[in-house]
């Protein structure tokens, strides 16, 4: 039986919610280990009842960012005899059949496609009523990390997450490196993951805008400016990013709260982004 492991990155999480997810994971026979990487400053202190043979908890004592936290988990798990690693954020709700369905999708897709590097589910916003197709899959260029299954050999060939990005676009940058190394990324339309994206959602000319915490604007701008210069980053994303860099301050000014705080992070992200070019 093929074995898989799991990395969950935490930052001031709802420990009861995390425990529910962990209990779901450890009950799956194909999950070898679950590794909790905690970027929180304070101790959770109430995970003792799930810290058993399958579950390890690594406390980092401060927020090192999602990339370094994931890399700590990857380094720990690559020594094991596993097929791949599942990644989850603390805001994702893992259903009892999620892992089984993802492995089945991986087997189906890999039997028909070459060089499959990453399998990702269909992401459903929490409280959404969106329905997805019950069958089929399609190729994508990038995906968020939560819910994704990344094959072990991908890390051995492509490397790990870029820690200098800290949080925003860490997953997209890794995906673009994966495809640049001739691997393919597929989204399964038969597997859903309920996930919270951003702090809230607003509508802007009929388009959904995911509103992050104010500090995230710093990384969005700094990392966006950095990635636009790289030749393996797709042109459609560069064009979209340039447009968003112009529109976002207007959205902040006219539609969002904490305007000064958000604009300050945008300006710092711009200056640091160009300073590091």
């Amino acid at each position: 039986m093929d074995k898989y492991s799991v990395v969950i990155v935490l930052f001031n999480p709802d420990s009861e919610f995390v425990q529910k997810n962990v209990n779901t994971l450890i009950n799956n026979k194909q999950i070898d280990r679950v590794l909790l990487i905690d970027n929180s400053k304070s101790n959770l202190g109430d995970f003792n009842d799930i810290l058993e043979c399958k579950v390890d908890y690594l406390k980092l004592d401060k927020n090192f960012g999602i990339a370094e936290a994931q890399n700590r988990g990857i380094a720990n798990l690559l020594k094991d005899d596993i097929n791949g690693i599942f990644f989850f954020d603390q805001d994702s709700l893992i259903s009892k059949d999620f892992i089984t369905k993802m492995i089945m999708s991986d087997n189906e897709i890999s039997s028909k496609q070459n060089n499959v590097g990453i399998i990702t589910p269909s992401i459903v916003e929490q409280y959404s009523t969106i329905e997805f197709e019950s069958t089929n899959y399609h190729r994508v260029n990038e995906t968020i990390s939560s819910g994704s299954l990344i094959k072990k050999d991908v890390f051995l060939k492509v490397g790990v997450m870029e820690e200098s990005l800290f949080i925003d676009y860490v997953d997209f940058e890794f995906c673009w490196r994966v495809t640049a190394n001739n691997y393919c990324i597929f989204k399964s339309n038969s597997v859903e993951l309920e996930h919270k994206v951003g702090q809230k959602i607003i509508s802007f000319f009929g388009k959904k805008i995911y509103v992050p915490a104010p500090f995230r604007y710093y990384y969005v701008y700094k990392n966006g400016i950095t990635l636009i210069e790289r030749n393996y980053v797709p042109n459609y994303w560069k064009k979209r990013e340039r447009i968003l860099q112009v529109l976002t301050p207007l959205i902040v000014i006219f539609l969002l709260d904490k305007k000064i705080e958000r604009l300050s992070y945008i300006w710092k992200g711009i200056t640091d982004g160009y300073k590091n070019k």
Side-chain angles (χ1 to χ4, degrees):
M1 181 185 293
D2 292 336
K3 293 290 185 179
Y4 301 82
S5 288
V6 177
V7 170
I8 304 177
V9 176
L10 308 175
F11 181 71
N12 299 330
D14 177 341
S15 57
E16 189 174 318
F17 186 81
V18 174
Q19 287 187 36
K20 182 179 179 181
N21 279 334
V22 170
N23 287 331
T24 297
L25 291 166
I26 62 178
N27 285 326
N28 189 297
K29 293 181 180 179
Q30 288 190 266
I31 293 300
D32 187 57
R33 292 173 65 196
V34 176
L35 193 53
L36 304 175
I37 313 292
D38 191 1
N39 269 326
S40 311
K41 290 183 179 179
S42 58
N43 289 317
L44 292 175
D46 51 4
F47 274 174
N48 289 334
D49 57 339
I50 60 170
L51 295 181
E52 42 106 314
C53 58
K54 269 192 176 185
V55 185
D56 293 306
Y57 174 66
L58 177 59
K59 186 78 177 67
L60 300 184
D61 294 321
K62 71 173 185 177
N63 188 2
F64 284 96
I66 192 168
E68 181 166 344
Q70 288 177 332
N71 286 345
R72 297 278 189 103
I74 293 165
N76 192 297
L77 296 174
L78 284 184
K79 297 174 288 186
D80 299 340
D81 183 19
I82 56 173
N83 278 40
I85 302 174
F86 284 94
F87 292 85
F88 293 100
D89 295 345
Q90 65 190 35
D91 296 324
S92 296
L93 179 61
I94 306 168
S95 63
K96 290 182 179 179
D97 59 355
F98 178 84
I99 296 295
T100 299
K101 283 185 172 181
M102 282 289 287
I103 294 172
M104 289 174 62
S105 290
D106 177 29
N107 291 336
E108 177 191 358
I109 296 168
S110 296
S111 70
K112 300 174 182 178
Q113 305 288 340
N114 296 322
N115 300 325
V116 178
I118 301 176
I119 302 292
T120 181
S122 297
I123 303 299
V124 182
E125 299 163 15
Q126 285 187 9
Y127 316 116
S128 171
T129 57
I130 294 175
E131 294 185 0
F132 290 89
E133 301 173 51
S134 59
T135 57
N136 213 348
Y137 55 88
H138 62 277
R139 189 170 172 176
V140 296
N141 293 314
E142 65 273 323
T143 182
I144 67 170
S145 66
S146 194
S148 64
L149 167 59
I150 304 178
K151 306 294 187 68
K152 180 179 179 178
D153 64 284
V154 170
F155 296 114
L156 300 177
K157 181 177 180 180
V158 176
V160 294
M161 310 301 169
E162 184 173 338
E163 295 179 4
S164 64
L165 297 178
F166 195 79
I167 182 167
D168 286 283
Y169 302 140
V170 168
D171 40 17
F172 279 21
E173 188 280 330
F174 182 76
C175 286
W176 296 327
R177 260 191 294 134
V178 166
T179 56
N181 280 273
N182 299 316
Y183 285 101
C184 300
I185 305 170
F186 286 93
K187 175 180 284 188
S188 172
N189 293 322
S190 61
V191 189
E192 298 176 4
L193 180 70
E194 190 175 307
H195 181 71
K196 181 181 178 183
V197 183
Q199 288 192 321
K200 63 180 179 179
I201 303 172
I202 63 171
S203 179
F204 182 69
F205 289 101
K207 298 287 186 180
K208 284 184 178 179
I209 302 292
Y210 298 97
V211 181
F215 82 93
R216 295 284 293 271
Y217 287 98
Y218 170 77
Y219 295 102
V220 168
Y221 272 80
K222 174 180 172 292
N223 295 345
I225 290 167
T226 299
L227 292 175
I228 280 173
E229 299 299 317
R230 299 187 180 178
N231 59 12
Y232 61 89
V233 175
N235 288 328
Y236 68 82
W237 184 87
K238 293 179 181 181
K239 181 179 179 181
R240 169 189 170 277
E241 188 65 16
R242 289 189 178 102
I243 293 171
L244 285 177
Q245 286 177 358
V246 174
L247 289 181
T248 298
L250 300 177
I251 294 171
V252 169
I253 291 169
F254 291 108
L255 297 177
L256 300 184
D257 58 356
K258 301 179 181 178
K259 302 180 193 301
I260 299 300
E261 184 180 6
R262 295 180 196 274
L263 291 172
S264 296
Y265 278 116
I266 288 173
W267 177 247
K268 182 170 174 52
I270 291 171
T271 55
D272 286 356
Y274 283 108
K275 187 187 303 180
N276 295 331
K277 283 180 65 174

